[in-house]
């Protein structure tokens, strides 16, 4: 053991510098100033090549997206688009009529229950009457059998098809999407929905449509399986509003905006409270800073060194 300690001490003495601690460090890094011209040129070429490849991939990605035949919906001024604006509940009630009489034939709304309509578009008695108009499969009962019963407020809006396969079979292979959150699920939101409903037109030259398809420039690809369902006097509103196509599309879009954001009005009320309280707190903080801490801001601190003794 003494011999081992002696070897360790001899090794350590070799690593010890003249005036410093014992340490061992190897530095294999070099700076750009030490590079040769060939190394600098190779590095620059690699950087240019990597940048070119990235730009090419980005251009190819943009070219694929630009190849889709789709028109961008314009931005409309909605009654709820302001900072402190709320949803138009009268328009939402008409929108429910549009969904019930037009859209519900193909589209489901499985995440909306009749109880959600209470106090928003209908009274509690009206919502109960709407729920009782449908028959809901329930069970099993005491003998293990399923039965049909009138709907209740807790029931969801029934789907027009029992499953996805039946929906595709009835619509030439196209699956009508659920409308519960359709505004949040589409780029453009309410502007897209309104433009889609009112944007049907004849297909331009060069566009071939298969049987059962219609042309809509706001739908990706232009070919859409849903036919035009919104047109003048497709239904009659119970409040006597003229049922023109633009009014119908506007009302159903407002209703779908609410189904996608049922807390919208509450968020607006909360924003008013937060901004109001924030203004009061900001004024208090300004007063505190301006007056209570004024003596700190105006205090002058000086350092007077002691005179050196001679």
């Amino acid at each position: 053991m003494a011999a081992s300690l002696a070897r360790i001490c001899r090794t350590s003495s070799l690593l010890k510098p003249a005036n410093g601690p014992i340490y061992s460090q190897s530095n294999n890094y070099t700076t750009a100033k030490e590079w040769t011209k060939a190394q600098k040129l190779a590095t620059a070429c690699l950087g240019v090549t990597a940048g070119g490849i990235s730009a090419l991939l980005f251009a190819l990605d943009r070219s694929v997206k630009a190849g889709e035949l789709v028109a961008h919906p314009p931005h409309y001024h909605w009654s709820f688009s302001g900072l402190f604006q709320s949803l138009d509940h009268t328009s939402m009630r008409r929108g429910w009529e549009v969904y019930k009489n037009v859209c519900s034939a193909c589209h489901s709304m499985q995440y909306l229950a009749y109880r959600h309509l209470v106090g928003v578009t209908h009274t509690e008695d009206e919502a109960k009457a709407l729920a009782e108009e449908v028959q809901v499969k329930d069970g099993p009962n005491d003998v293990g059998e399923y039965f049909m019963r009138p709907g209740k407020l807790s029931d969801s809006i029934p789907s027009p098809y029992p499953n996805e396969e039946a929906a595709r079979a009835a619509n030439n292979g196209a699956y009508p999407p659920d409308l519960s959150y359709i505004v949040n699920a589409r780029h453009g939101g309410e502007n897209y929905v309104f433009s889609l409903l009112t944007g049907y037109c004849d297909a331009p030259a060069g566009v071939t449509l298969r049987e059962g398809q219609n042309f809509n420039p706001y739908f990706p690809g232009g070919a859409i399986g849903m036919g035009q369902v919104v047109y003048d006097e497709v239904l009659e509103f119970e409040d006597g509003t003229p049922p023109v196509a633009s009014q119908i599309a506007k009302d159903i879009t407002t209703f779908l905006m609410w189904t996608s954001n049922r807390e919208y009005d509450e968020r607006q009320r909360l924003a008013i409270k937060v901004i109001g309280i924030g203004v009061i707190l900001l004024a208090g903080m300004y007063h505190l800073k301006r007056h209570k801490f004024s003596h700190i801001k105006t205090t002058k601190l000086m350092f007077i060194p002691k005179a050196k003794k001679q």
Side-chain angles (χ1 to χ4, degrees):
M1 180 177 294
S4 300
L5 291 174
R7 285 196 299 272
I8 294 173
C9 292
R10 286 197 298 271
T11 304
S12 301
S13 64
L14 295 176
L15 297 175
K16 182 177 180 179
N19 297 313
I22 300 175
Y23 69 96
S24 175
Q25 180 178 0
S26 60
N27 187 358
N28 296 325
Y29 297 100
T30 59
T31 61
K33 294 181 179 180
E34 301 175 358
W35 292 359
T36 62
K37 291 184 178 181
Q39 290 176 327
K40 294 179 179 179
L41 181 61
T43 304
C45 292
L46 288 176
V48 172
T49 303
I53 293 175
S54 301
L56 178 62
L57 293 176
F58 179 77
L60 290 175
D61 180 68
R62 296 293 297 175
S63 65
V64 171
K65 292 182 179 179
E68 297 180 356
L69 182 63
V70 59
H72 297 283
H75 179 77
Y76 298 98
H77 179 72
W78 297 92
S79 60
F80 51 81
S81 59
L83 181 61
F84 300 115
Q85 301 297 324
S86 62
L87 293 167
D88 185 352
H89 288 244
T90 304
S91 179
M92 289 160 50
R93 183 183 178 98
R94 292 194 299 266
W96 162 258
E97 296 182 50
V98 178
Y99 171 76
K100 178 184 176 182
N101 295 289
V102 180
C103 305
S104 63
C106 299
H107 295 275
S108 62
M109 196 169 283
Q110 58 180 335
Y111 299 107
L112 182 71
Y114 288 101
R115 61 183 175 84
H116 294 140
L117 303 176
V118 177
V120 180
T121 59
H122 297 76
T123 63
E124 183 174 354
D125 294 335
E126 290 174 337
K128 286 182 179 180
L130 290 174
E132 292 174 354
E133 292 178 0
V134 299
Q135 293 293 316
V136 179
K137 186 177 181 179
D138 200 352
N141 54 16
D142 297 338
V143 296
E145 297 178 350
Y146 288 87
F147 58 93
M148 303 300 293
R149 61 164 176 80
K152 300 184 294 185
L153 288 178
S154 58
D155 293 324
S156 300
I157 308 299
S159 174
Y161 304 105
N163 48 60
E164 181 178 343
E165 288 72 17
R168 291 186 181 277
N171 293 275
N172 296 322
Y175 179 64
D178 185 86
L179 298 182
S180 301
Y181 297 99
I182 194 65
V183 169
N184 294 347
R186 295 295 184 268
H187 177 70
E190 59 275 10
N191 297 310
Y192 167 79
V193 174
F194 181 86
S195 300
L196 183 73
L197 293 175
T198 58
Y200 285 88
C201 59
D202 295 332
V207 177
T208 303
L209 300 176
R210 294 180 297 178
E211 183 180 358
Q213 290 185 333
N214 303 273
F215 181 78
N216 193 311
Y218 298 101
F219 188 79
I224 183 173
M226 182 180 73
Q228 183 176 3
V229 295
V230 174
Y231 49 88
D232 294 342
E233 299 182 357
V234 69
L235 79 163
E236 293 184 2
F237 292 120
E238 62 180 13
D239 61 356
T241 301
V244 296
S246 59
Q247 181 68 49
I248 295 172
K250 177 252 184 185
D251 291 336
I252 184 60
T253 302
T254 304
F255 177 73
L256 295 178
M257 176 64 183
W258 170 73
T259 61
S260 300
N261 305 273
R262 291 197 293 269
E263 75 291 347
Y264 186 85
D265 286 346
E266 182 62 29
R267 291 206 313 261
Q268 298 296 84
R269 286 193 293 266
L270 183 61
I272 296 174
K273 295 177 182 178
V274 170
I275 293 176
I277 296 175
V279 170
I280 297 175
L281 293 178
L282 184 62
M285 291 176 63
Y286 175 78
H287 174 77
L288 190 65
K289 179 182 181 300
R290 184 68 179 84
H291 299 283
K292 297 298 183 181
F293 289 91
S294 59
H295 66 284
I296 298 178
K297 293 178 66 65
T298 56
T299 300
K300 186 176 182 179
L301 301 178
M302 298 181 64
F303 172 72
I304 303 176
K306 295 181 179 179
K308 295 182 178 180
K309 294 181 180 180
Q310 297 297 333

